Amino acid sequence: DIQMTQSPSTLSTSVGDRVTITCRASQSISSWLAWYQQKPGKAPKLLIYKASSLESGVPSRFSGSGSGTEFTLSISSLQPDDFATYYCQQYNRYPWTFGQGTKVEIK
Amino acid sequence: QVQLVQSGAEVKKPGASVKVSCKASGYTFTSYEINWVRQATGQGLEWMGWMNPNSGNTGYAQKFQGRVTFTRNTSRSTAYMELSSLRSDDTAVYYCARDTQLNGMDVWGQGTTVTVSS
């Protein structure tokens, strides 16, 4: 199975900050990577697919980059609605696998 | 609008089975695979497997092989996940999600809480 490792596990930050979350795959997944946002008690929401494509309706302050084994999710200027947990997920090869999550919390 | 609506919460005893439904609307049910993902309280997301609603073909994560079964009723645009021999560590929220294959899982059900307790 392809292991996905996110860092950091927790990010304490403030409104207006730029945030970067890293996701590493244990082997190359090309660009078959998605990012999801999840708020407490809610289902995950797709933000980014194919490593850098923005899902329709997602604010442009979210962006993704990377290929192969190293990926990043960036939020250019954190808004109050962005405090949540973020997961990366590879869909290059079954079984699909998720990173362990990064919780973005208020400093 | 495109949505997946899941069945309600379940409480089961250890050793029992549970069957969760996922009803699709707003799109052609047979055009997209359905994935099942679960999440234990305070934990991350765990992928369980996939089903092609058109062919009925399925694929399961090794961890669940032999205990989980995905089925569908195309006339009702509904997918089902049945998990047997339940244990306390199966207590989790179970999600169905539409898999676009190339563009990630873009539509999710609201989740179904399954509690396994004696």
Side-chain angles (χ1 to χ4, degrees), chain B residues 66-81:
Chain B
R67 271 208 315 140
V68 72
T69 305
F70 302 151
T71 56
R72 89 286 193 214
N73 183 322
T74 54
S75 64
R76 296 182 177 181
S77 297
T78 301
Y80 302 92
M81 184 281 298

Side-chain angles (χ1 to χ4, degrees), chain A residues 13-51:
Chain A
T13 185
S14 303
V15 172
D17 284 354
R18 178 177 179 85
V19 166
T20 299
I21 299 169
T22 298
C23 178
R24 290 186 174 86
S26 60
Q27 60 186 260
S28 178
I29 58 170
S30 185
S31 295
W32 302 115
L33 183 100
W35 289 97
Y36 301 89
Q37 177 194 67
Q38 188 180 33
K39 297 181 179 178
K42 300 295 186 182
K45 172 188 174 183
L46 177 65
L47 299 175
I48 302 283
Y49 60 91
K50 242 179 288 183

Side-chain angles (χ1 to χ4, degrees), chain B residues 50-70:
Chain B
W50 60 271
M51 181 188 68
N52 183 312
N54 185 45
S55 64
N57 289 343
T58 57
Y60 305 120
Q62 190 167 8
K63 175 177 180 176
F64 301 101
Q65 285 271 5
R67 271 208 315 140
V68 72
T69 305
F70 302 151

Side-chain angles (χ1 to χ4, degrees), chain B residues 27-41:
Chain B
Y27 74 98
T28 302
F29 175 62
T30 51
S31 294
Y32 295 85
E33 294 187 354
I34 293 288
N35 286 1
W36 290 89
V37 175
R38 77 177 186 179
Q39 185 173 40
T41 302

Side-chain angles (χ1 to χ4, degrees), chain B residues 92-115:
Chain B
V93 177
Y94 290 76
Y95 295 101
C96 59
R98 187 176 83 163
D99 191 341
T100 64
Q101 285 290 292
L102 298 181
N103 299 340
M105 292 182 270
D106 67 339
V107 180
W108 292 66
Q110 82 277 20
T112 296
T113 299
V114 175
T115 303

